[in-house]
Amino acid sequence: MGLLGLAGVVPAWARGGDLLSGVARKGFDEVSGSNIDLTVARSAFSTGNKRGGAIAVNGSIPGPLLRLREGTTVRLNVHNQLEEDTSIHWHGLLVPFQLDGVPGVSFPGIKPGETFTAEFPVRQSGTYWWHSHSGLQEQAGHYGPIVVDPAVPDPVQADREYIVVLSEFSETDPNVLYEKLKKSADYFNYEQPTWTDDYPLSGAQRRNWARMRMSPVDILDITGSTFTYLINGHGPADNLEFNFQPGERVRLRFINSGAATYFNIRIPGLPMTVVQADGQNVEPVEVDEFQIGIAETYDVIVTPDNDAAYTLVAESMDRSGMGIATLASAPGARAAIPPLRDPPLLTMADMGMGGMAGMAGMGGGSESMPGNSSGQGAARPGMRDTSRLPADVEVGPGLAMVSANPVDRTGDPGVGLSDVPHRTLDYRKLRSLTPNVDRRTPSRRMEIHLTSNMERYMWSFDGKKFSAVSDEPIRFAYNERVRVKLINDTMMTHPIHLHGHFFELVNGAPADRQPLKHTVNVQPGGSVEFDLTADEPGDWAFHCHILYHMVAGMFQIVSVANPVGEGA
Amino acid sequence: MKTAVASLLASVAVSTVLASPAAAQHAGHSLAEPQQSADAKTKCEEEVARHRAMGHPVTDGACEPAAQPEAAMDHSKMGHMAMDHGSMPQGRPAEGAIDHSQMNHGDMGQSETDTSSMDNGQMDHSQMNHGQTGSQVMQGMDHSAMQMGSNADIPLLPPPPEAGSGPARAAVSIWGEQAMAEARQELIRETNGGTRFWFQGDRFEYQARKGADGYFWEIQGYYGGDIDKFWFRSEGEGVFGNKVEKAEVQGLWSHAIAPFFDFQAGIRQDLTGPERTYAVVGFQGLAPYKFEVTGAAFVSNTGDLTARLEGELDQKITQRLILQPRAEINLSAQDVPELGIGAGIDRFETGIRLRYEFAREFAPYVGISQGWRLGRSADFARAAGEDPSVTNYVVGIRFWF
């Protein structure tokens, strides 16, 4: 499709190449040591009854687990066997900027047939991942897990551990998926309000949504209508099994390697104790379900005991599909697979009117209510009051909504989870396990608005696509400590990732216990703040980790000045 | 989707707080979720116990659920700075529940603040040195909700001069000017929203009616990016067996001027009948309530002014079965007899089509449409032996790629 625009990027397999050659293996090998080779190549992939082109690294999807050790030096050789440029970003690892793997920001990219070597000291421990930062290759399978074992005894003790890599597979080429979104943004959404749905929406509410030209089910761009959700490369039909002995402490390292999917994770009957977020240890907190943003990682401890088997459910946030695995005490043991829950609806808070719910006399999250419940429109705040925006936000066709009251939503467990009948995780429950180093009060604040026009599928920071600000990076002085506020002027949750740094979420924790993150979810119509110590000199990518938002323009460069003055 | 408890309670809390500012101070230490209010209460009681151990008097019942609904409050918005502690009801707040970080004790000035009514005579804030609190110093107190530096203390500022200026060029010294320039250009190209081609057969249909059956097409499409596009459209009709009755093509520059609207300007060429070329100025977009609307004014090479306004609405019956009412009105500033156009409302057409989207891109439909020619236009029709009112039963496909 997309005759003119796409002709140049249709891969060989889609032009009639042999699909049988090199079908990628599901799951991953482990590679470790001081010298590691990674080979990126065209491949094919199949799961269930779906089959399509893919990119595999070392022949598997996900690619191999990099098992590193804190305090060592590792040399990673990336061989590009594609017919196009590629790259690998070591997501969450603290590396010199020129090895960070973002073409056009940290390096020129890896040409076809070439090898790129990244050699760097491993300065940290925890659960991370790697992925391509070239085009949409990540969606095609170019990703894999990283585990760095600590140099000192791990404060998290477990009898066994599993890595749980969450992702998606579509038969359709990622470039075509993007093309469809640009032409018809609700293309993949088959949970839309209709005359025959059973959403708890009154006629007045439906008319109000229509009046705003927005949708209460605009939750994920790409859905189970095309995605098969994968756990370690295995679709629901692939019967992935994690074995345990009853009573063992099992560590599950969850990594959301999805390109466009938020997952809600639960193991019915088995509480999970979250011990690590984004590779950084946190004070243990027990939950029954948590939402994992794209590119986030969470480590949890479970102690399965009573039952022979438990189902691990990774349900997409819009509830259009799920990834499934089984924790089994004996091979083949299975537990019931819960059905998909009803799709959630967006609320007043998701429209940036968090604090106004009470004012308008309606239940905020309890029912989806744009405008007045009686339909009289008595208290209809404007959806695009641009006078609320600072001068540096560009007001144009790419900005369809302004959050009238973007409240701090770090206490919210995420779209669809505020009414589940069990314990959920939210950012305010995260506390660093050990004290943070930098306890300075930030010397300044800055604000960045997340902006969009869903109808045109345009995404940006401050109303400006990267192409409009490619010469105006976000600048920090070396070692400067800045409080950054992200304000979401859209109705979708965005996982915002800053390369090369950990920032501290301002979540109500004491200054020295604010949790460290590399990726933060900014909930619809809400805001989040983080304190950043800009102590990694160089140029770093800063972007929404929904792959299709990034390529649509929601991308910027963060430039941290070099203390010795060179290069920046 | 029932009860988002947190938001609900937050809204309750808003009204509570508005009524009683002092009460809001309870919330500082218990940011727990409402469903964990029992847990929060326990924490509060632990807190109280600690404070009692420190010698602070705390009234009984300070942890009762009356204080709980505020749990979900966003303190950063509350403006504690302006609060008058002297107005607190006697003995009401548990000292342990006060959010110290928001209070900016340094600025309070003991002499100006009547703390005696808080019944905390044994607590000397000035010696607690909140400004420099490291967790080690205060460990015993577990200020779980404490934030270092409220936003009011941190100025909203641009980067300092040491942050540098100009484009990001750190990688240039390592990888070379040219290699980085090429890669940067590629990155910009990759993230600018792209340029693409879209083609839609909006109505491609067979029309059954009294007399000879006919056909009708309306196609449109574009080539371009997010803001500027080359837009084209064509429509035409005829009767089977005869040559095409009416056909036109338009080529337009389409420029996004608002989130939901494009401005369009260009030319229209009629391909049948007396040769006419028109200048076109119009708009296309999505109106409130999701009406897809198109409007254009046409000035012909003979100086005639006409206009056309179209609107349609997708009503989803199911995820794939869609009912689409539409209406179109053609206006003219003058009679154009050789084209059968009458001044005023030249013709009005309304229709309803029911389509089934086997795929988003491919949807067969059935429908009915009714067209009227009005006023002078109706006279022209009758003179030509045509009926000014025509009902069409239609079958067609809607497709795009």
Side-chain angles (χ1 to χ4, degrees):
Chain A
M1 308 280 160
L3 301 173
L4 301 175
L6 214 61
V9 291
V10 173
W13 59 265
R15 286 187 252 116
D18 181 7
L19 276 185
L20 292 173
S21 66
V23 176
R25 282 178 291 120
K26 296 181 174 117
F28 43 82
D29 300 328
E30 179 176 316
V31 290
S32 58
S34 58
N35 191 58
I36 292 171
D37 288 289
L38 298 169
T39 302
V40 186
R42 272 287 159 199
S43 183
F45 188 78
S46 75
T47 181
N49 56 2
K50 293 184 177 177
R51 183 177 182 84
I55 296 175
V57 177
N58 290 8
S60 67
I61 292 177
L65 161 66
L66 306 188
R67 189 109 206 179
L68 310 178
R69 176 161 290 276
E70 183 183 12
T72 63
T73 292
V74 65
R75 175 203 287 263
L76 296 149
N77 311 299
V78 184
H79 309 286
N80 182 8
Q81 293 186 356
L82 301 176
E83 292 168 11
E84 59 189 282
D85 285 16
T86 194
S87 55
I88 293 188
H89 165 57
W90 323 101
H91 190 118
L93 292 193
L94 299 169
V95 299
F97 82 91
Q98 66 270 25
L99 305 180
D100 191 49
V102 183
V105 177
S106 43
F107 81 136
I110 312 169
K111 301 283 174 215
E114 287 188 355
T115 293
F116 177 80
T117 297
E119 184 168 3
F120 53 84
V122 180
R123 297 158 53 187
Q124 65 204 96
S125 63
T127 305
Y128 305 97
W129 64 299
W130 54 264
H131 60 86
S132 169
H133 227 288
S134 300
L136 300 173
Q137 291 174 0
E138 180 198 313
Q139 177 81 81
H142 189 334
Y143 54 83
I146 300 175
V147 169
V148 185
D149 294 310
V152 296
D154 197 325
V156 179
Q157 288 300 312
D159 301 311
R160 64 172 77 207
E161 70 169 37
Y162 291 105
I163 292 159
V164 185
V165 178
L166 308 164
S167 62
E168 324 102 341
F169 171 72
S170 171
E171 290 181 290
T172 308
D173 183 89
N175 291 292
V176 177
L177 297 178
Y178 179 46
E179 187 91 6
K180 300 293 184 200
L181 288 171
K182 287 297 279 190
K183 290 176 175 176
S184 176
D186 61 0
Y187 184 93
F188 298 102
N189 193 332
Y190 284 92
E191 293 176 345
Q192 299 187 45
T194 68
W195 290 6
T196 53
D197 68 45
D198 47 12
Y199 287 123
L201 289 167
S202 71
Q205 290 163 356
R206 289 166 195 265
R207 282 190 292 281
N208 273 321
W209 280 104
R211 181 182 51 79
M212 296 185 300
R213 293 164 283 194
M214 291 185 180
S215 166
V217 294
D218 183 11
I219 290 166
L220 292 176
D221 294 338
I222 306 182
T223 69
S225 67
T226 184
F227 277 156
T228 300
Y229 298 103
L230 305 180
I231 297 182
N232 293 354
H234 296 260
D238 294 334
N239 265 321
L240 180 64
E241 193 175 280
F242 298 118
N243 294 117
F244 68 89
Q245 297 295 321
E248 277 184 328
R249 281 168 61 88
V250 180
R251 179 178 192 163
L252 301 173
R253 298 174 182 263
F254 287 93
I255 303 168
N256 188 346
S257 299
T261 307
Y262 275 76
F263 290 97
N264 294 327
I265 307 297
R266 68 193 202 277
I267 307 173
L270 196 56
M272 300 176 282
T273 302
V274 176
V275 293
Q276 195 181 89
D278 286 7
Q280 303 296 302
N281 292 324
V282 295
E283 290 178 10
V285 50
E286 190 174 292
V287 300
D288 299 304
E289 182 167 13
F290 66 92
Q291 189 165 91
I292 183 168
I294 296 158
E296 285 190 309
T297 73
Y298 285 102
D299 286 23
V300 308
I301 297 287
V302 293
T303 313
D305 200 355
N306 298 327
D307 295 334
Y310 299 84
T311 302
L312 191 165
V313 182
E315 188 179 51
S316 68
M317 180 166 67
D318 67 334
R319 300 177 188 173
S320 61
M322 56 171 94
I324 294 289
T326 302
L327 301 185
S329 60
R334 290 292 176 271
I337 296 174
L340 282 171
R341 297 174 292 189
D342 289 338
L345 290 170
L346 297 175
T347 66
M348 287 291 285
D350 298 321
M351 285 181 281
M353 299 170 193
M356 298 180 179
M359 218 171 64
M362 40 186 140
S366 67
E367 292 172 63
S368 180
M369 291 206 189
N372 192 289
S373 57
S374 64
Q376 320 236 327
R380 272 180 190 163
M383 286 299 292
R384 192 176 183 258
D385 179 0
T386 55
S387 68
R388 294 176 183 276
L389 297 172
D392 58 342
V393 175
E394 186 175 305
V395 176
L399 182 138
M401 170 182 145
V402 177
S403 293
N405 189 27
V407 297
D408 178 339
R409 297 190 68 186
T410 52
D412 194 315
V415 171
L417 289 192
S418 32
D419 58 353
V420 294
H422 49 235
R423 295 165 299 173
T424 54
L425 183 70
D426 62 62
Y427 281 160
R428 288 189 194 161
K429 296 188 177 120
L430 297 177
R431 296 268 188 285
S432 285
L433 184 65
T434 51
N436 299 332
V437 181
D438 192 350
R439 293 170 209 167
R440 291 175 294 166
T441 296
S443 58
R444 66 180 173 102
R445 284 185 295 136
M446 67 173 296
E447 293 184 358
I448 298 170
H449 287 254
L450 319 185
T451 44
S452 89
N453 181 342
M454 181 65 186
E455 189 63 26
R456 296 180 190 273
Y457 205 72
M458 293 173 71
W459 302 95
S460 58
F461 291 123
D462 289 339
K464 291 170 277 197
K465 291 186 288 187
F466 176 63
S467 49
V469 290
S470 59
D471 283 344
E472 301 161 39
I474 298 167
R475 289 193 164 272
F476 295 109
Y478 177 72
N479 213 27
E480 189 183 12
R481 191 158 162 86
V482 180
R483 178 161 296 179
V484 180
K485 184 175 193 175
L486 302 175
I487 298 165
N488 191 344
D489 288 316
T490 84
M491 290 194 6
M492 296 193 111
T493 314
H494 298 279
I496 303 298
H497 174 44
L498 172 62
H499 286 224
H501 294 78
F502 285 94
F503 46 76
E504 301 162 27
L505 282 190
V506 179
N507 68 341
D512 67 336
R513 300 289 173 151
Q514 294 184 152
L516 297 168
K517 299 272 293 166
H518 51 58
T519 306
V520 60
N521 294 318
V522 194
Q523 296 198 27
S527 67
V528 71
E529 288 180 307
F530 61 78
D531 290 342
L532 170 69
T533 298
D535 56 1
E536 299 286 338
D539 293 341
W540 303 98
F542 172 73
H543 60 94
C544 177
H545 223 287
I546 295 173
L547 194 56
Y548 302 93
H549 292 185
M550 179 180 84
V551 296
M554 214 169 194
F555 184 97
Q556 243 292 25
I557 298 176
V558 160
S559 195
V560 178
N562 192 315
V564 289
E566 65 190 74
Chain B
M1 298 304 98
K2 294 291 173 203
T3 51
V5 181
S7 314
L8 181 63
L9 289 180
S11 68
V12 171
V14 168
S15 38
T16 313
V17 167
L18 289 176
S20 162
Q25 289 202 350
H26 291 252
H29 282 258
S30 53
L31 284 163
E33 285 298 281
Q35 61 259 41
Q36 293 185 308
S37 59
D39 184 36
K41 187 184 170 193
T42 312
K43 276 187 185 156
C44 179
E45 279 162 359
E46 286 168 10
E47 197 73 31
V48 165
R50 275 197 205 97
H51 280 269
R52 285 198 174 112
M54 288 168 70
H56 301 162
V58 179
T59 25
D60 291 329
C63 289
E64 282 319 297
Q68 293 306 323
E70 297 89 359
M73 281 298 302
D74 175 6
H75 283 260
S76 62
K77 300 281 187 292
M78 280 176 51
H80 290 242
M81 305 293 290
M83 282 172 60
D84 176 9
H85 290 260
S87 68
M88 281 185 182
Q90 176 86 19
R92 174 94 196 283
E95 183 60 33
I98 292 180
D99 180 352
H100 292 259
S101 68
Q102 307 287 344
M103 287 173 64
N104 196 357
H105 291 243
D107 291 347
M108 264 171 75
Q110 287 290 341
S111 60
E112 289 168 33
T113 313
D114 178 11
T115 52
S116 61
S117 65
M118 285 170 69
D119 194 18
N120 64 350
Q122 295 173 50
M123 186 165 182
D124 183 358
H125 291 258
S126 64
Q127 288 177 15
M128 287 175 67
N129 198 4
H130 288 234
Q132 293 170 25
T133 304
S135 67
Q136 281 83 354
V137 184
M138 302 272 292
Q139 257 167 2
M141 282 187 66
D142 184 22
H143 279 64
S144 59
M146 189 158 189
Q147 294 176 19
M148 296 306 291
S150 72
N151 283 346
D153 302 330
I154 308 172
L156 202 55
L157 288 175
E162 311 88 89
S165 60
R169 291 173 49 83
V172 168
S173 61
I174 294 160
W175 304 107
E177 182 86 46
Q178 195 194 337
M180 281 312 295
E182 283 170 12
R184 181 69 53 88
Q185 280 311 308
E186 174 61 17
L187 174 66
I188 292 167
R189 195 197 58 75
E190 200 173 88
T191 57
N192 72 359
T195 300
R196 51 191 45 84
F197 177 76
W198 176 72
F199 182 96
Q200 183 193 45
D202 193 20
R203 287 182 291 158
F204 232 76
E205 68 194 26
Y206 177 92
Q207 300 184 326
R209 58 183 169 239
K210 216 162 57 176
D213 291 353
Y215 56 85
F216 174 87
W217 79 81
E218 181 184 20
I219 62 164
Q220 62 172 339
Y222 64 72
Y223 178 76
D226 287 332
I227 302 299
D228 290 295
K229 296 176 175 76
F230 170 72
W231 202 286
F232 59 90
R233 62 172 99 251
S234 171
E235 61 178 73
E237 61 189 21
V239 171
F240 289 104
N242 294 348
K243 65 176 183 153
V244 178
E245 254 168 49
K246 269 170 67 175
E248 65 170 56
V249 293
Q250 295 180 34
L252 308 164
W253 166 58
S254 192
H255 178 73
I257 50 166
F260 300 100
F261 279 93
D262 278 17
F263 166 83
Q264 297 179 328
I267 56 168
R268 162 183 154 190
Q269 178 67 49
D270 284 0
L271 305 173
T272 55
E275 193 157 303
R276 285 287 193 284
T277 305
Y278 303 81
V280 185
V281 177
F283 65 90
Q284 180 160 3
L286 191 67
Y289 300 97
K290 295 198 171 177
F291 285 95
E292 285 179 44
V293 293
T294 309
F298 308 95
V299 181
S300 76
N301 54 340
T302 56
D304 298 320
L305 174 64
T306 54
R308 186 185 295 160
L309 207 60
E310 295 177 54
E312 57 188 42
L313 181 66
D314 276 359
Q315 291 281 299
K316 284 182 186 294
I317 297 171
T318 70
Q319 297 297 336
R320 293 175 186 270
L321 187 65
I322 296 160
L323 192 67
Q324 187 197 58
R326 72 180 300 279
E328 173 179 335
I329 187 166
N330 284 265
L331 307 168
S332 177
Q334 65 287 303
D335 286 344
V336 190
E338 63 270 38
L339 297 175
I341 292 171
I345 299 176
D346 169 44
R347 60 185 72 201
F348 180 74
E349 191 187 300
T350 182
I352 191 155
R353 287 168 178 77
L354 181 68
R355 71 173 188 264
Y356 187 83
E357 291 187 346
F358 285 98
R360 295 286 193 219
E361 298 91 337
F362 180 78
Y365 63 80
V366 295
I368 180 168
S369 73
Q370 168 67 42
W372 293 276
R373 296 175 68 179
L374 303 163
R376 291 281 291 154
S377 182
D379 297 340
F380 290 133
R382 287 188 203 98
E386 294 166 10
D387 190 339
S389 167
V390 178
T391 304
N392 290 306
Y393 301 90
V394 307
V395 179
I397 57 165
R398 182 181 189 266
F399 65 93
W400 60 267
F401 54 82

